[in-house]
Amino acid sequence: MKNCGEKLKRNSSGQLLIVAALAIAILISSTTIYVYEVSREKTATQDQLIAELVPAIKQSSRNAVISSLANASKGGEKSVLDANLNSLSKAYRSLNQYGICNLSFTVLNDSNYADGIWFSWSDTSGFGVSSAYANFSLAVYGLTANITANYAVNITTAVKLEGYYTIYGSEKSVSLICQVFNEGKPALAKNITLYYEDLGVWLPVNSSNNFSITDYGNGTYAISFTVIAISDPVLVSAHVTDLREISVQANATCYKA
Amino acid sequence: MGGRDKGQIRIVEAFLSVLIIFSAFTISANLTVTQNRTKNDNLASVGLQALIMLDSDGSLAKYIGDENWNGLRDVLNLILPTGVCFNMTVYDEQMQQINADIISNGGFGGQQIAFVEYVCASRGVTFHCYIIHLLLAVVA
């Protein structure tokens, strides 16, 4: 009996070994699969986050250009665009979460733009422009993915001013239509100030001129005022600030209707 | 012969038991971790999208510029899904903390914590660049 039991133990020990080996093999393979799955998910997520970062960077670039144009249009240096974009680029270089983030830029210099800024305010055709333009090159070197993107940001606030005058006794009643545009689309104005020229001097239009303004809510403003001006035709100038704090001036010549 | 068969059957039974228990443990652990990770990953994305949304009209920089930390906390509370805790820290370009008050809606009791780093450029006449660190967690 004793011999039989020992024999049985001896016979079973091999099988136990196989079973143990099988269990260890399953354990190892499960762990391997698990680690693989987890790392694959993490990679996909990191890529997704980097992809979502690109619109955020474009938005920041746009905000920086808007700020620069607002500053320059209120008397700041045109070099402010370059300085602000340098600050933005430096801020992105300091980010760690997405890998290495490199945002480079060039401001536009051509017949209209100087240091990426263009003001067309002195034309008497009734059209005024404040604009800024910069080209960007973005490169994000992540741990698992690289993203490159080239894009341009053009911020333009334009004003179209046109009108005429009629004579009532010794006064001239001036009627104007002022339209404000942001990137070619109608936009609202935050503030409109009117001036008229008389004998080479620009005078502000105020309540003493029966000044009235009608806001149509779609970027179009109907303006009327009266002046006792000797000059003919009447030159008017609109100084407009849009909701983004960008200022623009437009000059128009009003003839007798 | 009968005894040997019994022994073998017991071993097979034991093995099957271990296998079943181990499989159950592996699958359940795997599922739990996957779900946690998915929530965690979505959380970072949700946080980034919330910041982009706030920044789209320049209001994020305005809250910071006005040092309206309570307003910023309230608006984040509105934008982020319910059950998400956040803690925001705002730095300037020199990485000096700007927010004097805590911008948070509660304690971090959850295990799933996500981190979002964001650069916010202001639109105002004076340009400012802020670096935002946003920590998010799902309330357990």
Side-chain angles (χ1 to χ4, degrees):
Chain A
M1 270 304 274
K2 199 179 175 184
N3 283 345
C4 189
E6 280 174 3
K7 198 176 178 184
L8 182 65
K9 268 185 189 172
R10 229 179 289 129
N11 285 340
S12 305
S13 65
Q15 288 167 343
L16 273 171
L17 211 64
I18 290 165
V19 169
L22 206 60
I24 289 165
I26 290 167
L27 193 71
I28 290 167
S29 58
S30 300
T31 310
T32 310
I33 290 166
Y34 169 70
V35 169
Y36 171 73
E37 287 293 328
V38 168
S39 60
R40 197 176 62 170
E41 279 167 19
K42 195 171 181 180
T43 303
T45 308
Q46 188 69 18
D47 294 352
Q48 191 196 334
L49 260 186
I50 291 174
E52 285 175 0
L53 179 70
V54 175
I57 294 175
K58 285 183 179 176
Q59 193 164 274
S60 299
S61 315
R62 188 178 157 79
N63 287 350
V65 175
I66 288 172
S67 171
S68 308
L69 183 58
N71 186 298
S73 70
K74 286 182 164 53
E77 294 289 326
K78 285 186 174 179
S79 59
V80 72
L81 178 61
D82 195 78
N84 290 350
L85 293 181
N86 261 323
S87 295
L88 185 70
S89 182
K90 193 180 159 193
Y92 274 110
R93 274 200 302 273
S94 71
L95 295 188
N96 301 314
Q97 186 182 13
Y98 310 96
I100 298 167
C101 191
N102 187 28
L103 180 68
S104 54
F105 65 90
T106 50
V107 294
L108 185 61
N109 281 295
D110 63 10
S111 55
N112 288 328
Y113 289 85
D115 294 329
I117 305 277
W118 173 38
F119 296 128
S120 175
W121 291 357
S122 53
D123 196 355
T124 54
S125 65
F127 207 71
V129 177
S130 291
S131 182
Y133 197 108
N135 289 301
F136 292 87
S137 182
L138 170 69
V140 183
Y141 304 104
L143 291 172
T144 55
N146 298 332
I147 288 182
T148 54
N150 295 307
Y151 59 94
V153 174
N154 181 11
I155 300 297
T156 302
T157 295
V159 168
K160 189 181 175 189
L161 186 68
E162 54 189 359
Y164 59 89
Y165 75 86
T166 50
I167 295 177
Y168 290 102
S170 60
E171 288 185 337
K172 289 175 180 172
S173 176
V174 180
S175 299
L176 298 166
I177 292 290
C178 179
Q179 290 173 288
V180 184
F181 301 93
N182 284 171
E183 285 81 65
K185 292 176 185 166
L188 296 177
K190 186 180 178 184
N191 183 46
I192 299 176
T193 309
L194 266 294
Y195 295 83
Y196 69 97
E197 189 196 47
D198 189 29
L199 300 173
V201 180
W202 285 100
L203 300 165
V205 176
N206 50 40
S207 54
S208 67
N209 299 97
N210 297 319
F211 178 68
S212 81
I213 184 163
T214 306
D215 181 359
Y216 290 106
N218 59 357
T220 301
Y221 300 85
I223 299 163
S224 67
F225 58 92
T226 57
V227 293
I228 305 170
I230 298 164
S231 298
D232 187 68
V234 179
L235 290 178
V236 292
S237 178
H239 295 199
V240 179
T241 304
D242 70 5
L243 296 179
R244 306 181 294 188
E245 296 287 343
I246 297 168
S247 295
V248 60
Q249 296 176 24
N251 302 328
T253 308
C254 295
Y255 295 95
K256 189 179 171 188
Chain B
M1 190 67 188
R4 210 168 69 184
D5 284 348
K6 250 186 203 173
Q8 284 175 346
I9 286 165
R10 275 181 191 158
I11 288 165
V12 170
E13 280 173 354
F15 171 70
L16 280 172
S17 308
V18 167
L19 193 69
I20 288 165
I21 292 165
F22 179 71
S23 302
F25 177 72
T26 308
I27 290 165
S28 62
N30 214 345
L31 278 177
T32 313
V33 172
T34 306
Q35 280 174 359
N36 285 349
R37 176 153 286 285
T38 309
K39 277 182 191 170
N40 202 7
D41 298 341
N42 288 341
L43 212 53
S45 179
V46 164
L48 185 60
Q49 290 304 324
L51 291 174
I52 291 173
M53 191 195 290
L54 256 182
D55 199 18
S56 62
D57 60 352
S59 57
L60 180 58
K62 191 159 169 35
Y63 278 115
I64 297 169
D66 295 343
E67 297 194 353
N68 185 2
W69 311 123
N70 287 338
L72 187 54
R73 188 192 58 215
D74 293 344
V75 78
L76 276 172
N77 245 336
L78 281 174
I79 292 175
L80 291 169
T82 48
V84 173
C85 275
F86 63 86
N87 192 341
M88 181 189 268
T89 313
V90 184
Y91 300 93
D92 63 9
E93 289 164 76
Q94 283 74 45
M95 289 306 286
Q96 300 293 316
Q97 188 172 333
I98 295 175
N99 58 307
D101 298 338
I102 295 168
I103 312 166
S104 177
N105 65 343
F108 276 63
Q111 290 180 339
Q112 307 110 37
I113 294 180
F115 173 67
V116 180
E117 209 173 15
Y118 188 83
V119 173
C120 171
S122 72
R123 281 188 178 187
V125 176
T126 308
F127 181 71
H128 292 288
C129 212
Y130 306 109
I131 295 163
I132 295 169
H133 287 181
L134 181 64
L135 274 173
L136 298 153
V138 175
V139 178

